[in-house]
Amino acid sequence: MSNYKLDNKEVILYEGHGYYEEIKKDIQLVLTNKKIVIERMGGLFKKELKLVEIIPLEDIKIYKDKIQVKRRNDIVIIQTIDKNISILFDKDKNARELEREIINAKSGTSSLDRSKSKFKKVVNFVKNNKEVVSVLASVVLALASKNNDLDDKK
């Protein structure tokens, strides 16, 4: 990250290498708690990192409370206010890690915290709707029993 200086309250969350579809070049990508910094190797004789783009995290879109960062195998697609950015990684693991870190940085929570929150919502729904849940459970058990009876007759 030679062409970019961190602010006092900025920390590096992820560093990796990928292939940036827009410029059709290999890049070095750095995610901080405020920005995504994309650099590429350049220079004819002296190879050095050249700044390609800086994407503020606040430019990443949110739709229906979902941060618009998607992963398809080893490709991460980031939807920003201006454009969609596709970055190809050599390993699916690296794409997954970048996706997770962007979502964590943008939301201010970890995936574990978000999972706990979803679980608490389900528990509260069950507590507040005991009668409905009881009826649904009875229906599911009855359907399962009928399915087993049909299997036994075959």
Side-chain angles (χ1 to χ4, degrees), residues 98-114:
L98 176 63
E99 176 194 36
R100 183 183 66 240
E101 290 298 335
I102 290 172
I103 292 170
N104 289 353
K106 179 88 173 148
S107 68
T109 62
S110 69
S111 54
L112 179 61
D113 292 337
R114 290 189 300 279

Side-chain angles (χ1 to χ4, degrees), residues 85-146:
I85 297 165
S86 295
I87 300 171
L88 174 69
F89 289 91
D90 60 343
K91 295 180 184 173
D92 186 47
K93 174 185 153 243
N94 296 339
R96 194 175 326 116
E97 186 178 351
L98 176 63
E99 176 194 36
R100 183 183 66 240
E101 290 298 335
I102 290 172
I103 292 170
N104 289 353
K106 179 88 173 148
S107 68
T109 62
S110 69
S111 54
L112 179 61
D113 292 337
R114 290 189 300 279
S115 296
K116 284 180 185 178
S117 176
K118 288 177 186 175
F119 182 75
K120 285 180 183 178
K121 286 179 184 176
V122 170
V123 168
N124 288 336
F125 176 82
V126 170
K127 283 181 181 177
N128 296 334
N129 299 289
K130 289 179 182 173
E131 294 82 25
V132 173
V133 172
S134 177
V135 169
L136 285 173
S138 299
V139 169
V140 169
L141 289 173
L143 289 172
S145 176
K146 281 188 177 183

